[in-house]
Amino acid sequence: MRLQPRNKRLYKKALEIFTLSRSISNYLVHDLAPLQNNGSEHPHIYFTGDIIRQSDALAPKIIKAENQTFQDERIKHATSLIHITNRLYKNCERLEQSESNGKEFLILLRKELRKFKHLQRSWMMSL
């Protein structure tokens, strides 16, 4: 099993997205952690953990897809990567709707995700 990716640009972008999402989540969690006036927690706080979990899954999925012997398996893992990317993008949109000072950073993350999606499309053609 090969541990290094064939498409280094896509892999590097996935690692950048993970680093960025972790930093954004750490920043946002301080804004969203205090309880609301009615004593309940902020409904968007769980999306901060979701963006970390989903961005953490990007790089291993790339390697897993590239290491598959059969094309059907490669396509299956690549499609799974598309779903993870779409959910990550959607969670960024949801976090932007929260009352937080970190909305500007989420716009940056979504911009990086659009670049990742572009690289991902060309990568899928090479599988």
Side-chain angles (χ1 to χ4, degrees), residues 32-110:
L32 302 176
L35 294 178
Q36 294 180 333
N37 293 336
N38 61 2
S40 64
E41 54 189 17
H42 198 283
H44 291 117
I45 193 156
Y46 294 106
F47 296 129
T48 59
D50 289 345
I51 64 170
I52 291 177
R53 185 177 43 82
Q54 291 160 350
S55 63
D56 186 33
L58 295 176
K61 276 288 184 188
I62 293 168
I63 292 176
K64 194 177 285 188
E66 290 180 348
N67 283 330
Q68 297 302 316
T69 307
F70 299 108
Q71 185 176 9
D72 290 343
E73 292 295 317
R74 287 192 301 264
I75 298 299
K76 183 175 106 177
H77 287 289
T79 304
S80 173
L81 183 65
I82 290 172
H83 292 300
I84 292 169
T85 307
N86 289 338
R87 281 184 289 181
L88 181 56
Y89 193 86
K90 189 67 169 170
N91 284 333
C92 288
E93 288 177 338
R94 289 177 180 147
L95 277 170
E96 280 183 39
Q97 296 172 0
S98 66
E99 294 83 29
S100 174
N101 297 331
K103 292 181 190 180
E104 300 82 24
F105 299 121
L106 289 164
I107 294 170
L108 177 66
L109 179 58
R110 285 190 345 169

